[in-house]
Every structure is written in structure tokens, then in C-alpha cells.
Amino acid sequence: MSTIRNHVQLIGNVGQEPTITNLESGKKVARFSFATNVHYKDNKGDKKTDTDWHTIVSWGKTAEIIEKYVEKGKEVGVAGKLKTRTYTTDDGNQRYVTEVVADEILLLGNR
């Protein structure tokens, strides 16, 4: 059961072009917004869609794959874990950010 601790799998669409950062160590990090949709019918029978937005972060080889093949609008699957971090804004407020740290990416849909 330890393999399912803090494990996230999502299929959705890339919301913006991934940003790739080359670190001094030579490693790459990729970041992009990611939309997942849930479709359902409300009480009146009307079709509805709920969209949730996620921030995806990936390192190393996975970031290189994202740099080459992932673009805005593309349908992809990601697998990884949730990571929450904190930072302090310029005006002294503390903020919390939860991201999906993806260690696998699955390219779906047409090229």
C-alpha cells in the first residue's frame, strides 16, 4: 500500500505553454497550468462542466519531454505527488501553494 501514499493521477488539458527553467546544475524544471473537467447533469437535466485548475511541476527527464512535446491545449495524463510549499509576499503575507510534482507524463490525443 505504500505505493499509493500521496499519489496523484490526472488526465486533462494544458492551460498555458509550459515554462522551462534551466538551473545552474544543468537540470531542467517545467511548470504549466492544467485543467481537469467533470461533466454531469444538474437537477433539471442540463449538462454542466466543473473545471479545476492545477499547477504541474516536473524535473529532469520528464521536464525535457514536456519541453519537446507538450503545448497549450494538449491532452495529457500526469502521475506524481502533491507538494505544498509556503512563501512570503513583498508585503509580508504568507501564502501557501499546492502543486502536483509530476514524475510521469502520458501524451494523449493527436500530435
Side-chain angles (χ1 to χ4, degrees):
M1 284 298 240
S2 64
T3 58
I4 62 172
R5 280 183 203 211
N6 193 10
H7 184 76
V8 177
Q9 291 181 317
L10 299 170
I11 293 177
N13 295 88
V14 178
Q16 67 185 33
E17 291 295 326
T19 57
I20 308 298
T21 305
N22 294 304
L23 303 177
E24 289 180 18
S25 66
K27 261 189 154 177
K28 290 187 181 204
V29 61
R31 293 181 184 277
F32 61 94
S33 63
F34 188 72
T36 56
N37 296 311
V38 175
H39 304 284
Y40 64 96
K41 290 185 180 182
D42 66 9
N43 294 339
K44 298 177 184 176
D46 296 329
K47 291 181 181 180
K48 299 286 183 180
T49 301
D50 278 344
T51 302
D52 287 310
W53 288 93
H54 316 275
T55 300
I56 309 295
V57 178
S58 192
W59 299 83
K61 295 273 187 199
T62 308
E64 292 173 15
I65 292 168
I66 290 168
E67 181 179 33
K68 286 183 182 179
Y69 301 108
V70 175
E71 59 190 23
K72 181 179 178 178
K74 178 110 176 129
E75 184 180 33
V76 298
V78 296
K81 62 183 178 180
L82 290 177
K83 182 74 175 173
T84 301
R85 60 183 174 87
T86 61
Y87 66 94
T88 304
T89 61
D90 292 338
D91 57 0
N93 292 321
Q94 192 168 15
R95 301 275 190 235
Y96 296 89
V97 177
T98 301
E99 301 166 322
V100 176
V101 178
D103 51 19
E104 293 182 51
I105 188 151
L106 178 63
L107 305 172
L108 303 169
N110 297 331
R111 279 193 72 123

